[in-house]
Amino acid sequence: MDPIRIAIVGMGKIARDQHLPAIAGNRAFGLAATVSPHDPGVEGVPHFAGLDDLLASGPAVDAVALCTPPQVRHDLASSALARGIHVFLEKPPGATLGEVAALQAQADKVGASLFAAWHSRFAAGVAPARAWLAERTIERVTITWREDVRVWHPGQAWIWEPGGLGVFDPGINALSIVTHILPRPIFLRGAKLEIPANRVAPIAADMTFSDTGGAALHMDLDWRQTGPQSWDIVVETDAGTLKLSQGGAVLTLPTGTDHAEDHEYPALYARFATLIRTGRSDVDVAPLRLVADAFLRGTRVTTNPFVD
C-alpha cells in the first residue's frame, strides 16, 4: 500500500519536536511538503510559503497536518477539504465551536477524514485510567495544571489574542483527558478568569464542574508557576484514589505506579492513518466546549500586566 503523502502546515516548535519524528517513524506516511512563511522547512523536502502555493503548484498530497495557531486554521482546513484532502487538526481544533462544526460537515460531504487530535489522550496512563474508572463510582476530581508560560510559550503573542485561549491552551489538555477517562459527562458550574491588564486572554483560571451523577470537580490553572511544574489529575473513587501526573504519563492506582515511555504523537499518527484507511473522522469537541463555557459563564478579574 502506498504511503499517505502528507504536508505539515506551520513549522513551529510542536511541528519540529513532535510531528516530524512521528511521521518519520510511521511507514503509513511520507512527508511530501512543508508550509511556512517564516521557517525554511526540511532539507530535501519541497517547501512553500503558503498552503495555496502548495495546492496550486506543489507535489500532490493526500493529507495535511495543521500546526498553525487556531485563529487561522479554519480557512486552511477548508481549502484542503475542498480538494478532498484529509486534515489533522492540532489542538485546539479551532478558534470557535462553530467553525469546527462547519469543517466536520464539509469533511462528511466530500468524504475526507477530519481528525481533532487531542494528543494528551494518548499519554501512557490515560487508557488504563479510563479502563479502571469505568467500573468505579466517582466521588471527587481535582485538576492542577500549573506551568511557567515564559518557559513553554516564549514570545508567542497569538496565544494572548482572541481565539488563542491563554492559559486554556495547556489547560485544554487536562480537559481532553478528563472528558475521556470519566464515565459520565461533566459540565461547568462556575469559573473565575484572571486576565492581565494588557492582554485579552487569561493567565489563570479557577473552575468548578459537576458530572451528571453529582460528583464535584475542581480545576486550578495558572501560567505563573515557577520551579516544579504541575500537570496532575486526582480522581477519588469508592475503590480508592487514582492519580495521573506529568500530563498523563504516570498513572498511580491503589495497587502502585506505572510510568511508561511517551508515545502520544506516534499514537496520534497511527490513529490518523486508520481514520484515512477506513474513511472515518474523529472530531470530539467536548474539551473545547468546556473552555467556551468558561468564557461564557466565567467571572473576569483583571490582574497585573504580563510582560514576556
Side-chain angles (χ1 to χ4, degrees):
M1 188 176 294
D2 292 335
I4 299 163
R5 299 166 295 183
I6 191 168
I8 297 180
V9 182
M11 289 294 293
K13 180 175 174 57
I14 195 69
R16 289 194 169 274
D17 289 354
Q18 301 291 350
H19 288 260
L20 287 176
I23 291 170
N26 189 325
R27 289 182 294 178
F29 291 95
L31 183 63
T34 58
V35 176
S36 174
H38 309 297
D39 188 278
V42 178
E43 185 176 357
V45 177
H47 181 73
F48 300 85
L51 179 59
D52 287 344
D53 298 327
L54 167 61
L55 297 177
S57 59
V61 297
D62 306 303
V64 294
L66 300 185
C67 306
T68 64
Q71 295 96 322
V72 301
R73 207 170 290 157
H74 171 268
D75 291 352
L76 296 169
S78 183
S79 293
L81 291 172
R83 293 164 174 80
I85 295 171
H86 310 291
V87 176
F88 177 121
L89 298 170
E90 250 294 354
K91 66 87 188 173
T96 69
L97 289 164
E99 67 184 35
V100 178
L103 291 176
Q104 185 168 11
Q106 185 179 4
D108 291 344
K109 183 176 181 179
V110 303
S113 295
L114 183 66
F115 182 30
W118 301 107
H119 66 83
S120 291
R121 287 184 173 176
F122 292 84
V126 172
R130 176 184 168 99
W132 191 83
L133 290 172
E135 298 179 354
R136 307 291 189 261
T137 299
I138 309 302
E139 297 175 351
R140 182 178 299 275
V141 181
T142 304
I143 306 163
T144 307
W145 227 253
R146 288 175 159 257
E147 63 182 45
D148 187 345
V149 64
R150 291 183 175 89
V151 172
W152 299 100
H153 297 280
Q156 295 183 10
W158 65 267
I159 213 163
W160 296 103
E161 296 170 355
L165 298 189
V167 75
F168 288 108
D169 180 79
I172 204 169
N173 293 332
L175 293 173
S176 75
I177 294 173
V178 169
T179 54
H180 187 63
I181 65 173
L182 295 183
R184 292 189 292 259
I186 67 173
F187 58 93
L188 184 74
R189 291 284 191 181
K192 182 179 78 171
L193 312 181
E194 294 187 52
I195 303 175
N198 60 336
R199 308 285 178 169
V200 298
I203 196 169
D206 188 271
M207 307 168 68
T208 56
F209 302 88
S210 176
D211 76 3
T212 53
L217 294 83
H218 177 252
M219 186 173 194
D220 173 21
L221 302 177
D222 205 313
W223 250 351
R224 299 165 295 194
Q225 181 85 347
T226 57
Q229 312 282 279
S230 301
W231 302 288
D232 302 324
I233 298 170
V234 176
V235 185
E236 299 171 41
T237 80
D238 60 336
T241 298
L242 174 151
K243 181 177 181 180
L244 281 168
S245 54
Q246 297 185 29
V250 180
L251 172 63
T252 300
L253 296 172
T255 53
T257 298
D258 185 26
H259 187 174
E261 291 185 12
D262 171 54
H263 63 279
E264 291 181 13
Y265 278 83
L268 283 174
Y269 274 94
R271 173 67 172 159
F272 191 35
T274 298
L275 292 172
I276 292 171
R277 299 298 192 202
T278 58
R280 295 180 293 138
S281 291
D282 181 354
V283 190
D284 179 16
V285 296
L288 183 58
R289 184 168 58 243
L290 292 171
V291 172
D293 287 348
F295 281 98
L296 181 67
R297 188 172 181 179
T299 299
R300 291 162 173 78
V301 177
T302 301
T303 190
N304 296 331
F306 173 81
V307 180
D308 201 348

